Amino acid sequence: MTASMRIASVRLLSKTRHYFSSEVAVQPGARTVHHQPASTRFVFTSVRCNVCLIPVAFLHKGRAYGTQSSSVTVTEEPDLLFQKLSVLVKSHDKAVLDSYEFFATLAAKELGLTLAKVFEPPKNIERLTLLKSVHIFKKHRVQYEMRTHYRCIEISRITGSTSRVYLEYIQRNLPEGVAMEVTKTAIEKVPDHIQMPLWSVQSQEKQGSQ
Amino acid sequence: MAASLRHSTLFTTVCRQLNSTLWLNVGGRSIHSSAVCCKNRAARIRVGKGDRPVTYEQALHPHQIAHRKGWLSQHTSNLQGEDGAADRTVEDLFIRRLIYGTFHGCLADELVIKRRGNLLVICALMLQKLPPHKYYFLVGYTEELLSHFYKCPVKMEIQMLEEKSVYKYL
């Protein structure tokens, strides 16, 4: 796999899987590959924070048709590592969520990701009681309710590039009326200045001075 | 409606008085009168003679949504923790009126409006009233107009029917 290799589209899962299984290394400092689809704009930049919560409902996606062929770049900076990638989908229709869960779990298995948990948080019902008539008739009311069903897919031990590819594929095929919230828990290397506790350093200095 | 309410309240007060005098009578019957306002009339076609053809969408009442009916407008703003519901509703109303006017007499059933990310998809069932080249022109015209108006890509997916599909006669 050379740096100049081009991947035609994200939907060629078999190619992507082969690519990632050979290239991505777990240790920091390894060369990582950034897959940059040219046409879409994403909020998922490489943020060095522990938890990012970016609801897809606020995501501005580019045009659904007319995608150009994407190029692959290789950089020296280390890839982000995520301990947990939590994808929460919500919708009014439970059947749609069932089918989407099947699709997302199948995609994860094809990419070789470890599915930690796939569960259904309890539904939330928001009820409103309003007056039935425009004028007077206080005793006659009408009640409405809005049901939100949830489904959560948790993936453990995933790299930044893989998560980007998986999330892009998942989100391109998100059905209408379904919202998604993604939570990523990143792993960072412990900073050098707190590798050794202060009291042990001071005791070493005292021993050295003595 | 106010006049009938007054009559019904008079009737109920008379009945209550009668009941209070006859309280010794075990198992006394009382009359239950409801104001006309009690009945729900939203999105319902009342049962009539049996000569009025009605589609599946019209025949099922709104409490059947999510049971036997689907949703005509699919977007995420009514979910828990999402906003923009009022804007989407106003957009939907505008789109429905625009298309009802543009394809006057050609619509077989209600529109289905779907939002996928930025993309607005309008699904319509049409009758074969106009020649096809006119349909192509009107579809392109509405797509162009709405995409310029709402600043997002708009797609129309139409399906042709020979006549309105009747579910039952009410």
Side-chain angles (χ1 to χ4, degrees):
Chain A
M1 298 277 174
T2 58
S4 59
M5 195 194 95
R6 284 173 169 270
I7 291 182
S9 78
V10 185
R11 290 188 182 85
L12 294 173
L13 273 180
S14 56
K15 253 193 177 176
T16 320
R17 180 188 178 192
H18 174 53
Y19 181 78
F20 277 109
S21 61
S22 62
E23 271 296 302
V24 172
V26 181
Q27 317 95 344
R31 283 167 57 205
T32 60
V33 178
H34 292 284
H35 177 74
Q36 286 165 6
S39 62
T40 57
R41 285 158 272 167
F42 279 91
V43 182
F44 300 104
T45 52
S46 51
V47 180
R48 306 244 169 218
C49 67
N50 262 337
V51 171
C52 348
L53 191 81
I54 303 156
V56 173
F58 306 128
L59 211 67
H60 171 70
K61 289 192 192 172
R63 297 183 83 84
Y65 38 85
T67 50
Q68 304 154 26
S69 61
S70 49
S71 59
V72 177
T73 56
V74 180
T75 54
E76 291 296 329
E77 61 177 63
D79 201 0
L80 274 174
L81 299 170
F82 294 116
Q83 196 177 63
K84 191 172 77 167
L85 178 78
S86 173
V87 174
L88 178 77
V89 274
K90 33 186 182 169
S91 169
H92 292 299
D93 198 351
K94 209 170 158 198
V96 166
L97 286 180
D98 288 336
S99 111
Y100 189 73
E101 176 205 316
F102 173 72
F103 160 76
T105 47
L106 187 72
K109 275 177 213 159
E110 284 296 313
L111 282 174
L113 307 175
T114 45
L115 285 166
K117 268 198 284 182
V118 178
F119 65 101
E120 187 184 347
K123 67 176 183 278
N124 178 66
I125 306 178
E126 188 191 329
R127 292 196 177 97
L128 306 167
T129 311
L130 306 170
L131 295 174
K132 194 186 279 190
S133 173
V134 164
H135 180 55
I136 55 171
F137 302 119
K138 191 64 176 259
K139 284 185 201 171
H140 304 105
R141 314 244 179 157
V142 74
Q143 290 185 316
Y144 297 106
E145 65 179 31
M146 286 178 280
R147 294 183 181 184
T148 309
H149 299 273
Y150 298 97
R151 208 54 70 96
C152 193
I153 299 165
E154 280 186 20
I155 294 167
S156 59
R157 299 182 302 276
I158 188 174
T159 59
S161 335
T162 319
S163 72
R164 214 175 297 180
V165 169
Y166 178 68
L167 286 170
E168 183 177 344
Y169 181 62
I170 291 292
Q171 283 156 19
R172 274 188 194 267
N173 293 304
L174 201 66
E176 51 279 340
V178 175
M180 188 198 280
E181 280 179 19
V182 175
T183 313
K184 295 177 184 174
T185 311
I187 305 170
E188 281 182 2
K189 193 167 169 296
V190 178
D192 290 329
H193 63 274
I194 58 170
Q195 286 278 11
M196 298 296 294
L198 271 176
W199 50 87
S200 71
V201 169
Q202 282 172 357
S203 64
Q204 278 174 16
E205 282 174 3
K206 278 178 193 169
Q207 281 171 8
S209 66
Q210 283 168 4
Chain B
M1 194 154 80
S4 64
L5 183 66
R6 233 181 283 129
H7 287 311
S8 61
T9 47
L10 189 69
F11 210 88
T12 45
T13 46
V14 164
C15 290
R16 267 191 232 116
Q17 280 167 7
L18 278 172
N19 276 340
S20 59
T21 51
L22 297 166
W23 65 276
L24 281 171
N25 194 5
V26 178
R29 287 178 293 168
S30 63
I31 196 157
H32 172 72
S33 67
S34 66
V36 181
C37 170
C38 275
K39 291 189 178 180
N40 288 330
R41 295 203 65 89
R44 281 171 174 85
I45 294 178
R46 297 280 156 186
V47 172
K49 297 258 182 204
D51 54 353
R52 181 180 173 174
V54 136
T55 60
Y56 187 82
E57 188 67 42
Q58 291 165 333
L60 295 183
H61 295 170
H63 65 264
Q64 303 281 15
I65 292 174
H67 296 272
R68 296 178 203 175
K69 263 174 108 163
W71 285 268
L72 286 177
S73 165
Q74 288 165 354
H75 51 84
T76 59
S77 51
N78 280 322
L79 294 168
Q80 187 75 16
E82 309 286 342
D83 56 355
D87 299 325
R88 302 294 93 76
T89 316
V90 167
E91 284 169 18
D92 281 355
L93 278 171
F94 177 81
I95 290 164
R96 282 175 206 280
R97 284 186 189 210
L98 180 84
I99 291 178
Y100 179 74
T102 318
F103 296 90
H104 194 82
C106 302
L107 282 177
D109 207 345
E110 299 277 341
L111 291 182
V112 173
I113 300 176
K114 301 180 183 181
R115 283 181 179 81
R116 278 176 223 144
N118 202 22
L119 181 66
L120 185 65
V121 181
I122 302 166
C123 312
L125 286 169
M126 306 269 182
L127 302 170
Q128 288 169 353
K129 274 201 165 179
L130 301 172
H133 62 271
K134 292 201 178 173
Y135 275 118
Y136 286 126
F137 170 74
L138 287 174
V139 162
Y141 156 81
T142 43
E143 280 185 3
E144 197 63 34
L145 203 68
L146 285 172
S147 61
H148 279 281
F149 194 69
Y150 286 124
K151 308 283 182 282
C152 66
V154 175
K155 273 189 190 176
M156 264 198 83
E157 287 164 15
I158 61 171
Q159 191 179 338
M160 308 304 296
L161 293 177
E162 288 194 353
E163 53 187 22
K164 275 194 187 179
S165 58
V166 179
Y167 177 64
K168 54 157 102 169
Y169 291 88
L170 289 181

